[in-house]
Amino acid sequence: MIRPATPGDVPAVHAMIRELAAYERALEAAKATEEQLHEALFGDHPAAFALIAESDESTPEDGRAERETVGFALWFRNFSTWTGTHGVYLEDLYVRPHARRAGHGRALLAALAKICTDRGYERFEWSVLDWNEPSIAFYKSLGAEPMSEWTVHRMSGEPLRTLAALAQSDENPNRAISLSI
């Protein structure tokens, strides 16, 4: 079952983000806190959205039916100046190892594709590590195409702060006086 995340899902999503970071060999880079995640997903101005994958109901020994959270997709809207429409950028997709090959990843991607088509968004995009062959093969099996002519660039840390300082510099005649978004 796929459903929108609720505030009560934040601890599980946070844990799975850390599991994903460990799989991607970058656990030390996963610094987001549960509080930050809660604010990003459920604050006054949400920056992102999440879907939850749950396993089919099982019957524990006490007879109560329960669902297990086995995956998530965290996404945000982007915008294409070429199409003039919003799109979806999938930041993270993760299904716990014991639940893989049960259709949860496909169901999460299908739910996001439906959001795109229902809202008139023309693009659904994400990045995948070039060594992650199982994921690449899975995405290709769904019809996704790698954007081989495009290279993702990222700026963070000191280079980001150095560039930002140029916008505040009195020596920059083109500096922005007030930037409010």
Side-chain angles (χ1 to χ4, degrees), residues 71-141:
F72 79 101
L74 193 139
W75 62 278
F76 55 88
R77 287 188 327 164
N78 59 14
F79 183 80
S80 169
T81 57
W82 290 13
T83 67
T85 62
H86 285 287
V88 163
Y89 186 86
L90 175 61
E91 179 65 21
D92 284 333
L93 173 72
Y94 181 72
V95 175
R96 288 184 158 144
H98 74 275
R100 292 182 185 154
R101 300 199 180 277
H104 301 295
R106 181 182 305 268
L108 285 163
L109 290 171
L112 290 170
K114 184 161 176 31
I115 288 170
C116 288
T117 59
D118 286 354
R119 296 180 185 181
Y121 300 170
E122 294 189 31
R123 291 184 179 169
F124 177 21
E125 299 174 317
W126 60 91
S127 297
V128 60
L129 290 167
D130 58 7
W131 56 260
N132 192 345
E133 290 298 326
S135 292
I136 292 168
F138 171 61
Y139 298 144
K140 285 182 177 179
S141 77

Side-chain angles (χ1 to χ4, degrees), residues 38-47:
H38 185 276
E39 181 64 25
L41 294 171
F42 303 107
D44 291 338
H45 304 285

Side-chain angles (χ1 to χ4, degrees), residues 27-47:
L27 182 57
E28 70 286 348
K31 297 178 182 178
T33 65
E34 286 185 23
E35 293 77 20
Q36 290 171 314
L37 189 57
H38 185 276
E39 181 64 25
L41 294 171
F42 303 107
D44 291 338
H45 304 285

